[in-house]
Structure formats: structure tokens, C-alpha cells
Amino acid sequence: MDDLNEKAARRRKIAHAIEIVILIVLFICFIFPFILVIINVFKTKADITSNPLALIGEHGFTIKNFPEAMRKMNFLRSFGNSALITIVSTIFTILIASMTAFVIVRNKWKACGALFGLMIASMVIPFQVLMIPLVSLYGGVLGMLNHRATLIFMHVGFSLSMATFMFHGAIFTNVPLALEEAATIDGCTRWQTYWKIVFPLLKPTIATVAIIDAMAFWNDYLLPSLVLARKELYTIPIATQVFYGTYSTDIGLVMAALLLAMLPILILYMFLQRYIVEGVTSGAVK
């Protein structure tokens, strides 16, 4: 019996070691492009082309790529556009989605069920199917392109279904109805109950929706490229296209621009990461 237990324990240790090795290999494969960007952003174009895997190029360590990239892409203006669009879109998405989910969960109306079903169904429709009619309608008919407000409106519209789905699960599972009934007995209105009782309990889901949508809005290239045609409205992903020429591309400037674009999202994730797993799983089980 002892021999069998020892063999079983040995097999478990071997299986665990194999899992660790596989995870390490997958982690290296996942993080390798990011490491490649970091080690090449401090090289000249010639050094990157000749030996992209070298830690330091033949011409030594340089930081010239950063100011040159910021100048060419007008970084401060592009950063301001991206920040404004991302922050406003994320805030509106969180507020509208959480309130919509609260109404759907706490009311058994058929209209609420139909609305929720339509929102779930809309999640399977690819954006590429809608982009041509969308641009034709807002541009050709309504003349509403080349406005930040139009892009914010579209971002909120496309992200609302997923956010409502996540808030719906969180409210249904983690917000006891007894708390709302107690607040009503104490004299709270429906609006006060939502803001003082329900909304504070949704912090993990709010953080999850914020990081997912902020990353999507910040990194989006296709929708802003369709809506914003004027250079003064360019977001960071669109502004990076100035580094791509017809016959040549300065890879060092591209990597510097990419690193500058990644930093805000990485900082946001570092602050909110402790809420991510809890927020994703908050509506998964009852």
C-alpha cells in the first residue's frame, strides 16, 4: 500500500512539474513579442534590422526614438484624443450598462426579458458586417463623422451588450434583494437604492468592465479610422500609421510609439488587476 501511495505521489509530482514547464513555455511565447519591443526600442534602425535579438546594438544604447516618435505622431494631441474618448466611453458604458442590468434583473416584465435577449443576440454580430452601412448612414445621410462624440456614441453602443451581460450576472448573484428591501423600508427611493446599495457592491465587475472596455477603446484602430478623418482628431493607433511608408518603415520609431501607447493601459491594469478575476467570476455561479 505504501509503495502504491509513493508511486501515486511521484506521478502527481511529475505531472505538476510538466504543467509548470508547459506554463513557463507558454508564458515565454506570450511575453516574447513584448520583450522584443523593449530591447529594440533603444536601438537604431540599422541595429534592429541587422540583429533584432541583440540586447544592445552596434551603435550602442539610444533614446532618440522616443522624442522623434512623439514629434512625428504629435503624441500629446493623439494621447489627449485617445484619453478623452476612452475615459468618456468607459464611464458611459459602466453607468448605462449597470443601470440597464439593474432594471432587467429587478423587474419581471416581458419587455425586459426581450431586451436582454436582443442584447445577448447582438453580441454574435461581427462589427465588419455593420461598418459599411454605419459609415454610410452617419457620414452620407447624417453628416456626423469627424466628431469625437460620434465615436464615443459608437463605442458605447457596441460595448453595451457585453457589459450589461456581466452586470446582470453580478447583480443577480451577488446583490441580495433583502438589502434593497431594507433600504426601501428606511425611506430610500429606487434611485437612492441603486447608488447607495447596488452600485458600491459592483466594484469587482466595474473594474473588470473598465479594464476590458478601456483596452478595447484605447487599442481600437478600425472604428476610429472610419469615423475620424481629420489629423487633429487622430487617436494613438491611427497616429502610428505615419511611421509606415510605401517603401520603408522606421521600426525603431514604430516600437517607441507602441511602447508609449501601451503604458497607460499597463498602469491601469496594475491598479485594477486584483478585481479582474473576482469580477469575471462574480456572475458565474449562484
Side-chain angles (χ1 to χ4, degrees), residues 10-30:
R10 192 180 301 112
R11 284 196 295 268
R12 285 195 295 270
K13 289 181 180 179
I14 293 173
H16 182 67
I18 293 173
E19 290 178 359
I20 295 297
V21 171
I22 293 174
L23 290 175
I24 292 174
V25 171
L26 292 175
F27 174 76
I28 293 174
C29 292
F30 179 80

Side-chain angles (χ1 to χ4, degrees), residues 104-276:
I104 292 174
V105 171
R106 296 307 184 216
N107 295 282
K108 304 303 180 183
W109 304 332
K110 291 183 179 180
C112 290
L115 175 62
F116 189 62
L118 289 173
M119 298 183 78
I120 298 300
S122 68
M123 292 166 56
V124 304
I125 301 175
F127 168 72
Q128 290 77 7
V129 176
L130 303 173
M131 64 181 186
I132 300 301
L134 198 68
V135 173
S136 300
L137 175 63
Y138 281 88
V141 179
L142 301 178
M144 294 178 59
L145 298 184
N146 288 317
H147 294 285
R148 299 184 189 91
T150 302
L151 182 59
I152 291 171
F153 175 75
M154 291 183 179
H155 274 322
V156 174
F158 284 116
S159 61
L160 202 56
S161 296
M162 174 61 76
T164 302
F165 175 75
M166 296 181 67
F167 280 116
H168 181 281
I171 294 173
F172 185 80
T173 305
N174 299 328
V175 181
L177 184 59
L179 286 178
E180 298 176 31
E181 294 174 345
T184 302
I185 293 173
D186 289 338
C188 286
T189 63
R190 191 78 162 174
W191 183 253
Q192 291 173 329
T193 300
Y194 168 76
W195 280 113
K196 295 181 179 180
I197 305 298
V198 178
F199 195 76
L201 295 176
L202 298 176
K203 286 182 180 178
T205 307
I206 291 171
T208 305
V209 172
I211 189 65
I212 291 174
D213 285 340
M215 288 179 61
F217 301 151
W218 185 269
N219 295 322
D220 190 17
Y221 175 85
L222 182 56
L223 184 57
S225 66
L226 295 172
V227 176
L228 307 176
R230 300 205 308 266
K231 287 187 177 181
E232 60 269 21
L233 299 177
Y234 278 2
T235 58
I236 287 181
I238 307 177
T240 56
Q241 68 184 356
V242 301
F243 303 117
Y244 298 94
T246 304
Y247 301 104
S248 64
T249 299
D250 195 327
I251 303 176
L253 298 183
V254 172
M255 291 188 176
L258 292 176
L259 189 60
L260 289 170
M262 283 189 289
L263 287 178
I265 293 298
L266 289 176
I267 295 172
L268 177 64
Y269 183 82
M270 289 173 61
F271 280 105
L272 299 181
Q273 62 178 336
R274 65 193 183 100
Y275 294 108
I276 299 300

